[in-house]
Amino acid sequence: MGSFNLFHDFRGGEMGTIADHGNCRETCLPAIIASLIVFLLLSVLTGCSPPKNKPRYIWPVPPEQARVEYLQTIYRPEDLQLQPDSLSKALLGRQEPLFQTPFDLLTDRRGRLVVSDSRAGLLWVLTRRGKVTSLPANGKRLHLPLGIAEDSDGRLYVAEGTEKRITVLNPAGEIERRIGEDIFSGNPSFLAIARHRKLLYASDTRNHQVLVFTCGGEYLRTIGTPGTGPGELAAPQGLAVNNKGELLVADMLNSRLSVFGPDGGFRRTIPFTGWEAYYFNSPKGITIGSDGTLWITDQRVGALVAYSREEKPEMVIGAGHMSAHPMAFVAPSGVSVTSNGSLWIADILMRRLSHWQQLTPSYLAVHPFDEATRRRLAAYGRHPRQASRE
């Protein structure tokens, strides 16, 4: 299982990802950032351009199997261009951020990244070409937009927290209708849709339950009751539906995932517990990849956790403690994964998105490791001086 802390090792003008052990957490990261700043300033003063072969940031490091690659952080509009120095800009930038409070996100049927911004009162829509627009159409605003979901026809469902309702946008981005205005007594938070059954789930964090509607808006039932026992919930957050039609609920204050059947009956609990070096705390967002991997954000400690198809913990990204470093998280919330393994995470307090990529065979076929990356990966576990000479 992968180590849990990330920082960058600055060697001869290149950066490579290594594991954080001992007291390096408190002492190394500031020095590394300072070295990076000096390098960037020297590059600007001397007119040097970034090297053509950029270092790659792979996690976890050997002897564990590499699983993901860090691609970029989106903080300002220009970060959408996937510029080669996006990591440096994330560290040093002083311009206004694109987001105010990014809460949840998804990749829609058209391949656009849709992000709910609760403080801004809208959805940001980011295209693959770097274009940014907002929803609803015609300049209208939403009231504390939180969780978002998309049905098979391309409609977007948005939980409006302060209005205690779900707003539906048609494929053109126009407000089509409202759901649950007379049903919610608390605040809807995250949403999920079981497309094959056309069911809409909404977590009610304040009342410790999940409400079930048809996608047409008819209220059906409530799942869960307040408490700590089997089938009981405490401040439920993220929702996801697996290929069996089961509903997975991020049971935040109970530090676990609760699983319910298609009929709403309780099935089982997935303990949100860890191992000696790291203990999970507060599951927030959850999504399921096409390979069955569960991706869960842990908001209180600032981490992204991967569970296997067999519902066993496999990997942690983000150090297991809150960090403003671009490859870490402070308050991660929504998480989304595309069919090709592209991972997006919304970080509420840092007002940014993190973009990672699963190292699938199809991805590595197009983006194979170059010789420099292979040497860096092979150097882990040897003395730093020996690795630096290679």
Side-chain angles (χ1 to χ4, degrees):
M1 191 174 297
S3 300
F4 317 111
N5 301 304
L6 301 178
F7 64 97
H8 292 87
D9 180 27
F10 192 73
R11 301 173 181 155
E14 291 188 359
M15 291 185 294
T17 308
I18 63 177
D20 175 5
H21 298 287
N23 295 323
C24 285
R25 178 182 300 170
E26 290 77 23
T27 59
C28 294
L29 183 57
I32 293 165
I33 295 176
S35 299
L36 177 60
I37 292 173
V38 171
F39 173 75
L40 292 172
L41 289 176
L42 289 175
S43 297
V44 171
L45 292 175
T46 59
C48 296
S49 59
K52 293 182 180 180
N53 297 322
K54 297 296 293 181
R56 296 173 66 173
Y57 310 99
I58 310 300
W59 189 253
V61 297
E64 302 292 338
Q65 176 66 41
R67 296 278 305 279
V68 292
E69 178 175 2
Y70 168 81
L71 296 183
Q72 69 164 160
T73 295
I74 295 180
Y75 180 74
R76 297 170 308 276
E78 59 265 34
D79 293 330
L80 296 172
Q81 304 303 318
L82 289 171
Q83 298 181 20
D85 57 344
S86 59
L87 179 61
S88 306
K89 288 188 174 183
L91 284 168
L92 304 176
R94 293 292 183 270
Q95 298 185 25
E96 286 300 313
L98 172 62
F99 310 104
Q100 294 187 40
T101 309
F103 184 88
D104 197 13
L105 71 177
L106 59 80
T107 302
D108 69 8
R109 293 165 58 85
R110 288 182 272 182
R112 307 176 305 173
L113 185 66
V114 183
V115 184
S116 63
D117 192 328
S118 55
R119 184 177 299 177
L122 49 76
L123 306 181
W124 294 105
V125 181
L126 286 58
T127 69
R128 294 174 179 173
R129 297 184 178 181
K131 182 180 179 181
V132 183
T133 58
S134 64
L135 298 175
N138 304 321
K140 295 184 178 180
R141 297 275 171 157
L142 300 167
H143 299 273
L144 196 69
L146 298 173
I148 51 179
E150 184 188 31
D151 67 17
S152 56
D153 295 320
R155 295 184 183 86
L156 290 173
Y157 296 69
V158 187
E160 288 192 88
T162 56
E163 296 300 307
K164 301 180 179 181
R165 67 190 182 192
I166 299 169
T167 293
V168 183
L169 307 180
N170 65 24
E174 303 163 336
I175 295 176
E176 182 178 279
R177 51 194 164 86
R178 318 279 190 181
I179 294 175
E181 288 184 290
D182 299 324
I183 303 297
F184 287 103
S185 58
N187 305 98
S189 182
F190 282 88
L191 304 177
I193 290 178
R195 292 183 177 178
H196 63 292
R197 302 182 67 220
K198 297 185 178 180
L199 295 180
L200 170 65
Y201 298 96
S203 56
D204 185 339
T205 303
R206 180 177 297 179
N207 290 321
H208 314 291
Q209 60 188 7
V210 175
L211 277 63
V212 187
F213 302 84
T214 66
C215 287
E218 178 187 357
Y219 169 70
L220 297 178
R221 58 182 173 271
T222 297
I223 295 176
T225 56
T228 61
E232 296 177 337
L233 302 172
Q237 298 282 327
L239 307 171
V241 179
N242 64 20
N243 58 10
K244 299 178 183 178
E246 296 175 326
L247 176 69
L248 280 66
V249 182
D251 195 356
M252 189 174 192
L253 296 187
N254 283 327
S255 297
R256 66 190 184 192
L257 305 182
S258 292
V259 184
F260 299 87
D263 61 352
F266 174 71
R267 291 284 180 89
R268 64 188 178 280
T269 294
I270 304 174
F272 204 55
T273 56
W275 41 91
E276 182 179 355
Y278 177 86
Y279 288 92
F280 305 136
N281 197 310
S282 302
K284 180 78 172 180
I286 179 172
T287 192
I288 304 175
S290 58
D291 62 351
T293 301
L294 308 181
W295 298 96
I296 309 145
T297 56
D298 189 335
Q299 187 170 76
R300 186 168 297 180
V301 297
L304 176 67
V305 184
Y307 269 58
S308 69
R309 181 189 296 271
E310 293 74 31
E311 301 175 350
K312 303 296 182 182
E314 287 191 328
M315 176 180 61
V316 174
I317 303 172
H321 67 280
M322 293 186 293
S323 171
H325 191 275
M327 291 180 66
F329 310 100
V330 172
S333 182
V335 55
S336 175
V337 59
T338 64
S339 59
N340 64 359
S342 186
L343 275 163
W344 293 92
I345 304 96
D347 195 325
I348 294 176
L349 294 184
M350 292 308 296
R351 305 164 72 179
R352 67 190 184 189
L353 307 181
S354 292
H355 187 194
W356 296 71
Q357 172 65 45
Q358 287 183 268
L359 298 176
T360 61
S362 59
Y363 176 78
L364 289 174
V366 180
H367 305 281
F369 292 158
D370 57 18
E371 185 59 33
T373 300
R374 287 194 290 269
R375 286 200 306 269
R376 281 197 301 273
L377 291 174
Y380 295 122
R382 299 203 291 276
H383 193 282
R385 292 183 180 178
Q386 177 185 354
S388 66
R389 291 195 297 267
E390 297 183 356

